Amino acid sequence: MENCLFCKIIGGVIPSTKVYEDETVYAFRDINPQAPTHVLVVPKAHIADCNGINTENAAVVAHIFEVIPAIAKAEGLEGGYRVVSNCGADAGQTVQHLHFHILGGKQLSLEMA
Ligand code: 5GP
Ligand code: ZN
């Protein structure tokens, strides 16, 4: 997607601090962290949001949920962590490329972070 910020990050057009990468998934540090650890995990293929998950692309989402615990372990989040995906305007989604926030490294409140 030409005008998608996260597609540009995945493609290296916009720099990011990489945390993890494989054939289908990319993870990088959030530019405006809401917790001591704040990582964004995205499918490399463009999916706009949770509503865009379907039978054809669901495997990458399942894979993301295999990758998330590995990232959490590597980040030392033994005490726990939160996974958040904002879908749509009411949820405050600001980037229309499916992403999962991993938040941790402190006692989290009931707000997103
Ligand atoms: P959303 O609000 O859509 O759930 O989350 C978007 C996230 O992307 C925000 O937490 C925001 O800080 C992060 N973000 C926005 N622009 C950039 C950027 O250019 N680089 C990085 N690493 N994160 C970004
Ligand atoms: Zn995209």
Side-chain angles (χ1 to χ4, degrees), residues 5-6 9 14-17 28-34 38 40 84-88 91-97 99-101 103 112:
L5 176 66
F6 287 175
I9 285 177
I14 293 175
S16 65
T17 304
F28 55 102
R29 298 202 187 279
D30 197 292
I31 203 167
N32 182 25
Q34 302 298 309
H38 189 168
L40 300 172
V84 174
S85 187
N86 295 316
C87 183
Q93 183 181 7
T94 58
V95 180
Q96 272 64 47
H97 181 125
H99 53 282
F100 296 89
H101 300 254
L103 296 148
M112 181 170 108

Side-chain angles (χ1 to χ4, degrees), residues 19-105:
V19 170
Y20 174 88
E21 182 174 19
D22 64 25
E23 278 185 12
T24 59
V25 172
Y26 189 71
F28 55 102
R29 298 202 187 279
D30 197 292
I31 203 167
N32 182 25
Q34 302 298 309
T37 296
H38 189 168
V39 173
L40 300 172
V41 190
V42 302
K44 286 187 172 177
H46 182 88
I47 301 171
D49 57 32
C50 289
N51 291 330
I53 300 169
N54 56 39
T55 308
E56 278 69 45
N57 63 27
V60 70
V61 180
H63 181 50
I64 282 173
F65 276 85
E66 293 177 323
V67 165
I68 284 171
I71 292 174
K73 187 172 184 193
E75 293 289 318
L77 303 180
E78 288 89 3
Y81 57 94
R82 180 169 294 156
V83 179
V84 174
S85 187
N86 295 316
C87 183
D90 281 2
Q93 183 181 7
T94 58
V95 180
Q96 272 64 47
H97 181 125
L98 179 65
H99 53 282
F100 296 89
H101 300 254
I102 303 175
L103 296 148

